[in-house]
Structure formats: structure tokens, C-alpha cells
Amino acid sequence: MGQTLFDKIWDAHVVSSNEGFPDILYIDTHFIHEVTSPQAFDGLRARGLPVFRPKQTVATADHNVPTWDQHLPIKEELSRYQVDMLTKNCAEFGIELYGLGHPFQGIVHVIGPELGITRPGGTYVCGDSHTSTHGAFGAIAFGIGTSQVEQVMATQCLLQQRPKRMKIEVNGKLQNGVGAKDIILYIIAQISAAGGTGYAVEYAGDTIRSLSMEGRMTICNMSIEMGARCGLIAPDETTINYVKGREFAPKGEAWDEAVAYWQTLYSDEDADFDSVLSFKAEDIEPMITYGTNPGMGIGVTQHVPETASFEQKQQGSYKKALDYMGLHDDEQLLGKPIDYVFIGSCTNSRIEDLRQVAEFVKGKHKADNVTVWVVPGSKQVQEQAIREGLDKIFDAAGFPLREPGCSACLGMNEDKIPAGKYCVSTSNRNFEGRQGPNSRTFLASPLTAAASAITGVVTDIRSFLKEEELV
Amino acid sequence: MSTKIFKHIQTSVVPLPIENIDTDQIIPARFLKATTREGFGNNLFRDWRYDNEGNPKTDFVLNEPIYSGKILVAGKNFGCGSSREHAAWAIADYGFDAVVSSFFADIFKGNALNNGLLPVQVSDDFLAKLFAAVFADPHAVIEIDLVDQFIKIVATGEQESFEVNPYKKACMTNGYDDIDYILSKKELITEFEEAR
């Protein structure tokens, strides 16, 4: 029997496996940030332990940082304290910190890949559920709680049960205007916000293969939104070309050795998956969510489902979601006025996302009723965007380019969507209050978000593309 | 370091029959700025529990004095979303010792177990029976026994067994800690590193 990609990587990292115990899994790199680390550092101090492998620990400040005037002290006292605490803890325990002002600062799941720290075959954890992003390189990567952050700091290992394996294949040609974000929103809408729980999900098929690394990261990023432990995609030329030459990527002989190993990382043809699902790319429309979990998504031309279409015991939760969103049964979102557009987050804030949005909005201007925030994923993305002149295109369109951070994805800093307002967001969660108390989120792709910003209403990007083709 | 010990409880319960309760509802992100583990219970279910002015919403179950107890009973897919352990801290800090649902998100389940908060996964049918029991009698008493792995509606004697990882069960019933366990294997870790 052959092995899955997941099992190959897992087995290569098992330090100890004992009947009745979870495996002790070795972690190659531990990413930390200001929000889920302070209690873990306190735990180490209480135990009198050092960070076991500080050189395999990488820190940045992202969740809580302002996205304007990052050169000034953080205004909000608690945020400032938390970020200062990270600086102090990293200094005390000998950890490299890419904090505010550092050229490598940014959202932890953007900087790991862009610095060449995330590589095929590795194991990566972080006290953040979107760590699944790094799986796009053919790696095992998942989010952990703070007690586990402390565990990894203390031992560079994690106690973990081996999850089940699922393969999700997507084959065929995507419609014009449909991208990676639509694929993953479609999959989650098909299998629900709990459909992947207990599984490591490998994405495969020619549609997935055709995606750039940025697109693959968008897909793996949202694996957690269907409950999956992690998501991964076998490395190929696209992966290797992306990693090559990056700051911390192996160089010279070490590079050749690494590539030779990476080329062995795929699921064998006779590998056994606990579950296999298949989808057709042609069936996927530009997607948008209407509810309060990422599984509540529809094609942008479709209507909100009727309450009666759900089982009796689910109807209460469903109605609660629609009430919160200010929507009703059978409503069509297309044409619905919106108030905000947020382009950013670890799902969609990479240079490719910004290029795509800039190309679309060039020569256009946002609608008067909409406020647009474009938040780059990292300092490097921001600098690149400026070098390419994207900031000028954004400015002319009324899409100011801000400074990097998690921003309105979770509204920990001041970037909050006001109560009752609708935001078309390229982020990953539409939970109640996620973007600010009583805010209402429609999750969508960068192109759908950009098109909706231009028209001021929920928009089918394909209508623009048709027009532009005619011109 | 030892952690909280859990073996057996018998108590009334707080019902929350909503599905897909995510960790942003359990503890909204804006309350994650604290740098200690204490005090999160005050903001448990903050936006369901209080209005914008901070007044309790009288129709939310935590504000209904008739419901109390050390067990939270909630709808399917409890704890989905963010990995924030603050969610488990908030539930435990509020005073719950166990959460019962017909399905738990993975990361939440692990976080709960690491904090002496027992996640008890029951069948959809048994969950419906629990809700029925507590809505018929808000003082209905539920027993959870971790040692023998069962949950019981005391008045009717209806019970169901539940699964728990044997290692985590040993940790919770004895107060063992994961880090102590891994550190006991430290030689294996350095051997692993040297062999790579």
C-alpha cells in the first residue's frame, strides 16, 4: 500500500510513537505573534524553562497593529502593551522578532512563505488557526492553542493524534473571473463548516495544479473553515520556483538536496484516503457568503436558501444567522447595497491579489457609498506594490493602500466595520461580530470585492469582464 | 506542573441550542488583548450576553437566573473557527467544568482538554434528550463520569457512553501535564535532531 503525502511528512517527523498516546511530532518552525504567546511565555517562566530551540521560532506582530502610521507608538493602550510584551519576551528568550518597522514584518502566514521559511516537507505550527496556509507548499501546518504554544516552545515538539486523510480533487477549467477564493468557498459551501473536521485534506486535480502559490495558499488557508486540521498540496515546479532564491531558502548544494527530497513528496497512486471528494471547476461561479459561517455560501447569482429547506432542528440557528445578516429567505444578494470593502487578511493580501485588484480598478473609481480598505499582507508586499506603482492606481480609484496587519479580518485594531454595515471582505470568516460588533460580512474573492466597491452593490465580476472584452 | 483534576460531576446545566458556535462568539477578538489567563469569563459570549451599552440581554441564557450549573450543553460543531485558547479559558473561568455537544471542532477540543474543561461528545439523539430534559425542568441534573466515560440524565436514568483519548483521560483524572510528558522523552528529541 502506498503512502499519502501527509503520511510521508508526518512519519518523517515522529520523535516517538507509543500505543495509547498521541505521537510526539517534531516541529520545524514555530511561528508566534503577540496575541496567543504572552501566557505561553509566562508558563515557561513559571516552569523555569528556556525556549528549547529559539532559532526555530519566528515572531512577528500582526493581529493587533494599526494599519496607518506604524512608525508612531500604538495609540491603543492594551494593544501597545501586548506588542511591547512580545518584544520583551522575544529579547528575554532569544527569539528573532520581525516587529513593527522591520522590513520583514507582516501577517505571520504571509511572511513565512515569502521569506522562504515555509518549505515543502516541513512541519509548521502557530497559535493561529490559519496556519493551514503553509500547507500550500506540501507541508504539515496547523493552528494550536496557547498551552500547545508553550509546549512547542519548551520542547520543539507537539503531542498530536494522527488525523484521518481526505483528498479533494478539483478538475476542469475555471470560468473567467473565478479564482482560488471561489474554489475554496464553493468546497466549504458543499461540505459545510464542519465537513473536514478530523481530517488532513490534500487538494489535488488539474485545476488546483494550475494555481499559483498565492492561489494555493488561499485554498489551504481556509481548510480550517471546513474544520480540517490542515490542508496541503503536493509540491511541484510552481512550488520550487516560488521558494527558490528567497531570503531563508536553502542555497547551493543544500538547495539541490532539498529539491531532490521535495520531488519525492506526493501521494502514491495506491495511497489510501479515508475520504475522497471530487468537484468540477466548470460548476463554480464567483462565490459569496450570506450567513454567519463560511459554509453559508452561494454563487453570486443564486438566492439565499429558504429556512424550510433545512431540518427542523437546524432552522433556529439558520434564522438567527439570517436575522443577524438582515436578510430574508430567497433574497438575492446581487445588487444589494454595501458599505465597506476590505481587501486583505492572510487569505488574500499577497502581491498577486493586489495586482489583480489594481489591474481591474485601473481607470475606475469606487462608488460614493463605499469605504475601501486595502491592507497588504506584509511590509514586503507593501513595498513591492509601491515599486510597481499599484498604490497610485489604488489612490486614484479611492482604494487607499494601508500598512500591513490582520486589520479588519478580525477587528482587533481600530479597523472595525461599524454595527449593521455590510462589508464585502476577502478575509476568511463571516462570524457574527468578526469584523466589529454587529458588523455584517459577505466573504468573496478580491475581484468580486473590487467590482462591488466600484458599483456600490454586490456585483457579479463576470458582467464587467464581458463588457471589457467587448470594448 | 499539575493541572486541574476532573473525575466526576453531577449538576444542573445551561442549555444553548445553537449550532456552529464559533470561538469569536465565545470570546470576541477585541477581548484577546489580555496577557494573562484570568478574567475571560466576564466576557464569555459577550455580544450575545450584553447589548452595546453593556446591559445584560435578558433573553440570553446566561442572564436567565433559572439556568445554572457546571455543564454547558450546546448545538453541533461547537468551538469552530479561531484557535484562541481564550475560548476554553473563558468557559472555564465562568465556572463550567464540561461542555456537551454532538460535535466539537478539533482545536477547541484540544484546548479544552488542556485546561481541565471536559468536552463530552454525544449523539444527536442524546443531545436532543438533554435539551428536552432541561427545557422541561431547568433544574434537571446531569451526571458526567470521566472515569467510566458516561453521561446520564439523573431523573430518567437515560445514559450514553462517550469517547475520550486514553492519554488525555489519564491527564485529566490525575492532573498530568503534556509538557512534563514530552520532557520525560527529551533524549529522544535530541536523538531525532541529530539523526536528521
Side-chain angles (χ1 to χ4, degrees):
Chain A
M1 181 60 74
Q3 273 193 306
T4 65
L5 167 63
F6 178 84
D7 288 296
K8 287 180 182 177
I9 303 170
W10 184 281
D11 289 348
H13 288 84
V14 172
V15 168
S16 168
S17 186
N18 292 297
E19 186 73 33
F21 289 82
D23 287 350
I24 298 180
L25 194 69
Y26 193 79
I27 301 303
D28 289 322
T29 300
H30 184 196
F31 294 102
I32 64 170
H33 62 83
E34 74 276 20
V35 177
T36 56
S37 67
Q39 295 88 350
F41 282 113
D42 279 348
L44 288 186
R45 276 189 280 264
R47 291 170 197 267
L49 289 174
V51 170
F52 183 57
R53 293 291 179 252
K55 298 245 175 310
Q56 286 166 252
T57 313
V58 174
T60 192
D62 56 4
H63 280 65
N64 224 336
V65 301
T67 55
W68 277 139
D69 294 334
Q70 286 186 348
H71 60 289
L72 299 176
I74 300 175
K75 283 187 209 145
E76 216 271 323
E77 190 186 346
L78 289 174
S79 299
R80 188 173 66 241
Y81 183 75
Q82 205 172 45
V83 171
D84 287 349
M85 187 72 100
L86 179 70
T87 308
K88 202 173 127 258
N89 282 328
C90 286
E92 180 181 336
F93 287 89
I95 295 168
E96 183 88 49
L97 168 65
Y98 303 137
L100 281 185
H102 193 286
F104 296 163
Q105 181 266 338
I107 304 176
V108 61
H109 312 307
V110 175
I111 68 167
E114 79 182 1
L115 290 171
I117 297 170
T118 306
R119 300 171 210 164
T123 49
Y124 305 95
V125 294
C126 175
D128 186 283
S129 59
H130 293 110
T131 308
S132 58
T133 311
H134 306 254
F137 290 79
I140 294 179
F142 50 84
I144 55 178
T146 297
S147 295
Q148 294 171 311
V149 169
E150 183 181 339
Q151 200 180 110
V152 179
M153 284 175 174
T155 68
Q156 203 59 33
C157 290
L158 193 67
L159 274 182
Q160 274 295 297
Q161 287 291 123
R162 190 187 295 245
K164 293 182 283 184
R165 279 73 89 201
M166 180 187 285
K167 178 159 76 169
I168 296 182
E169 292 179 323
V170 186
N171 286 298
K173 193 173 176 330
L174 290 169
Q175 296 176 39
N176 206 5
V178 174
K181 183 64 166 289
D182 302 298
I183 297 175
I184 191 64
L185 285 174
Y186 177 83
I187 293 171
I188 301 167
Q190 297 294 312
I191 73 171
S192 91
T197 304
Y199 290 95
V201 176
E202 180 178 345
Y203 302 93
D206 55 43
T207 314
I208 301 292
R209 234 355 93 227
S210 72
L211 297 173
S212 65
M213 284 318 295
E214 284 86 350
R216 295 179 191 188
M217 284 189 252
T218 300
I219 301 251
C220 289
N221 171 276
M222 290 192 71
S223 302
I224 183 67
E225 308 312 335
M226 52 182 161
R229 199 79 192 85
C230 62
L232 69 172
I233 296 171
D236 57 12
E237 283 302 306
T238 306
T239 321
I240 293 167
N241 290 338
Y242 181 98
V243 178
K244 193 171 187 178
R246 291 191 179 265
E247 185 79 20
F248 298 108
K251 308 272 165 18
E253 216 171 286
W255 170 258
D256 296 336
E257 272 175 39
V259 171
Y261 173 58
W262 297 346
Q263 284 166 342
T264 68
L265 297 173
Y266 50 84
S267 288
D268 297 326
E269 287 210 1
D270 56 345
D272 197 19
F273 287 89
D274 300 283
S275 172
V276 177
L277 301 175
S278 242
F279 300 101
K280 286 192 203 127
E282 294 80 1
D283 292 344
I284 306 174
E285 271 198 277
M287 294 289 294
I288 192 153
T289 64
Y290 59 88
T292 54
N293 74 59
M296 300 173 84
I298 49 177
V300 70
T301 61
Q302 294 170 354
H303 293 233
V304 171
E306 308 234 5
T307 306
S309 67
F310 293 89
E311 277 181 58
Q312 184 88 41
K313 65 176 180 196
Q314 293 176 316
Q315 290 183 3
S317 300
Y318 183 71
K319 276 174 76 161
K320 183 176 188 301
L322 285 199
D323 285 349
Y324 180 85
M325 292 299 294
L327 299 173
H328 56 79
D329 278 7
D330 202 38
E331 186 167 347
Q332 193 174 24
L333 297 191
L334 205 60
K336 191 170 180 67
I338 57 164
D339 309 290
Y340 283 79
V341 164
F342 171 58
I343 294 167
S345 87
C346 56
T347 315
N348 283 122
S349 64
R350 298 182 178 82
I351 190 67
E352 183 185 83
D353 299 310
L354 300 196
R355 283 180 190 143
Q356 196 181 34
V357 170
E359 191 190 356
F360 174 76
V361 303
K362 193 171 187 177
K364 302 186 180 77
H365 197 273
K366 74 169 184 75
D368 289 343
N369 58 309
V370 180
T371 303
V372 185
W373 296 334
V374 182
V375 181
S378 70
K379 208 69 199 164
Q380 294 208 83
V381 170
Q382 183 193 358
E383 297 294 326
Q384 178 78 22
I386 292 170
R387 271 199 303 278
E388 294 180 14
L390 306 187
D391 57 327
K392 297 203 173 61
I393 298 174
F394 287 137
D395 274 343
F399 285 45
L401 179 67
R402 301 171 74 96
E403 292 175 282
C406 298
S407 181
C409 174
L410 83 168
M412 268 198 87
N413 69 353
E414 48 278 85
D415 304 344
K416 292 180 176 63
I417 306 303
K421 299 295 183 191
Y422 288 101
C423 178
V424 177
S425 178
T426 68
S427 56
N428 40 58
R429 288 187 174 136
N430 50 355
F431 297 150
E432 286 184 31
R434 172 77 180 182
Q435 298 193 283
N438 292 307
S439 60
R440 292 159 164 173
T441 305
F442 296 138
L443 298 177
S445 72
L447 274 180
T448 295
S452 302
I454 300 299
T455 58
V457 299
V458 173
T459 297
D460 184 348
I461 176 69
R462 292 171 298 184
S463 57
F464 269 99
L465 298 176
K466 276 181 204 144
E467 246 170 60
E468 288 177 9
E469 276 165 20
L470 292 175
V471 172
Chain B
M1 294 215 311
S2 66
T3 56
K4 191 176 150 190
I5 290 178
F6 185 113
K7 287 183 178 166
H8 174 269
I9 52 171
Q10 189 163 326
T11 152
S12 55
V13 307
V14 176
L16 194 52
I18 299 171
E19 298 194 343
N20 298 308
I21 295 176
D22 59 77
T23 53
D24 274 86
Q25 305 321 311
I26 299 170
I27 184 84
R30 62 189 190 278
F31 299 109
L32 306 186
K33 297 183 186 193
T35 52
T36 64
R37 290 178 182 238
E38 291 78 36
F40 290 101
N42 292 334
N43 293 311
L44 174 66
F45 295 117
R46 175 74 201 199
D47 294 335
W48 288 352
R49 197 167 145 200
Y50 299 102
D51 65 18
N52 291 345
E53 280 78 48
N55 303 309
K57 294 184 184 175
T58 50
D59 59 348
F60 185 63
V61 68
L62 292 189
N63 297 324
E64 293 188 66
I66 197 162
Y67 295 110
S68 66
K70 298 209 157 281
I71 302 173
L72 178 67
V73 183
K76 197 172 180 169
N77 198 24
F78 186 84
C80 57
S82 154
S83 61
R84 62 189 68 164
E85 191 162 319
H86 313 65
W89 297 338
I91 295 170
D93 188 58
Y94 183 86
F96 290 112
D97 288 339
V99 185
V100 180
S101 176
S102 57
F103 199 85
F104 286 95
D106 275 345
I107 304 180
F108 175 81
K109 193 196 277 185
N111 287 341
L113 288 165
N114 282 337
N115 285 279
L117 176 70
L118 184 67
V120 178
Q121 187 162 325
V122 297
S123 66
D124 284 328
D125 283 350
F126 197 77
L127 186 68
K129 282 180 189 164
L130 286 171
F131 282 130
V134 65
F135 288 128
D137 172 15
H139 304 293
V141 172
I142 305 299
E143 180 183 0
I144 295 175
D145 191 298
L146 175 56
V147 178
D148 290 327
Q149 294 180 224
F150 70 83
I151 174 168
K152 186 198 250 173
I153 302 169
V154 172
T156 62
E158 287 171 288
Q159 68 173 63
E160 190 170 270
S161 60
F162 61 86
E163 286 184 23
V164 59
N165 177 283
Y167 165 76
K168 290 315 289 188
K169 177 177 170 179
C171 288
M172 282 190 82
T173 52
N174 294 287
Y176 297 157
D177 170 290
D178 283 351
I179 295 181
D180 293 337
Y181 171 69
I182 306 180
L183 286 176
S184 75
K185 311 265 181 189
K186 204 164 174 180
E187 278 171 33
L188 295 177
I189 303 173
T190 44
E191 278 171 25
F192 176 90
E193 288 178 324
E194 282 158 14
R196 298 188 96 194

